[in-house]
Amino acid sequence: MDILSILLSVIGWEKDRASKVSDRRVEAARLNAEVAGEAARAVDMLNFAMPRILKRCAELCPDQPELVESCAKTLDTMRANAMQICAQSEGIKEQIASAGSSAEWDKLVSGLHEWRVTASRFVPEADRVIRRYEEVLDTEAARREVG
């Protein structure tokens, strides 16, 4: 009877381990998808706002091409960074598919939690920069109308 008890406990232990790995895999995939989603939202916001901002900037400050370049460089850098995060999330999918031991899962999920916190700042930061550019351009347009 002792052997039977041992076998049943081993089977139960293996089932618990497999369940834990499955839970970690789902959590990792969810976190990775959230990061990719935040980065994609930031890219979309920047893609939508860049042409409008750069056009207004060029119209309001035709004698300052370096201002337009600086604005374009800032927005382009933000967009490139967000696009890089999207690409990295594709690589993470492969890690999720190939991770095996419990230690690998703990490390991967921990890193993804940190990455998710960082990614949660993408959209608000892009929005803040876009709004700031628009405020400055609105102020300049109003100043020119009055002056």
Side-chain angles (χ1 to χ4, degrees), residues 7-34:
L7 287 174
L8 289 175
S9 67
V10 167
I11 291 170
W13 179 75
E14 184 61 32
K15 185 177 178 183
D16 288 344
R17 190 189 70 74
S19 176
K20 183 179 178 182
V21 167
S22 177
D23 291 347
R24 292 294 198 166
R25 184 178 307 251
V26 169
E27 184 178 8
R30 177 187 59 82
L31 290 167
N32 190 49
E34 288 176 2

Side-chain angles (χ1 to χ4, degrees), residues 91-107:
I92 298 290
K93 285 181 186 179
E94 293 173 18
Q95 281 184 309
I96 291 169
S98 66
S101 72
S102 182
E104 286 180 58
W105 282 110
D106 292 342
K107 182 180 175 185

Side-chain angles (χ1 to χ4, degrees), residues 2 7 10 24 35 44 75 79 81 94 118 131 141 144:
D2 288 328
L7 287 174
V10 167
R24 292 294 198 166
V35 168
D44 289 345
L75 295 172
R79 184 177 59 184
N81 289 342
E94 293 173 18
T118 301
R131 285 180 192 266
R144 287 180 185 233

Side-chain angles (χ1 to χ4, degrees), residues 66-80:
E66 67 279 353
L67 186 66
V68 177
E69 276 184 46
S70 174
C71 181
K73 184 177 179 182
T74 299
L75 295 172
D76 246 354
T77 300
M78 290 180 72
R79 184 177 59 184

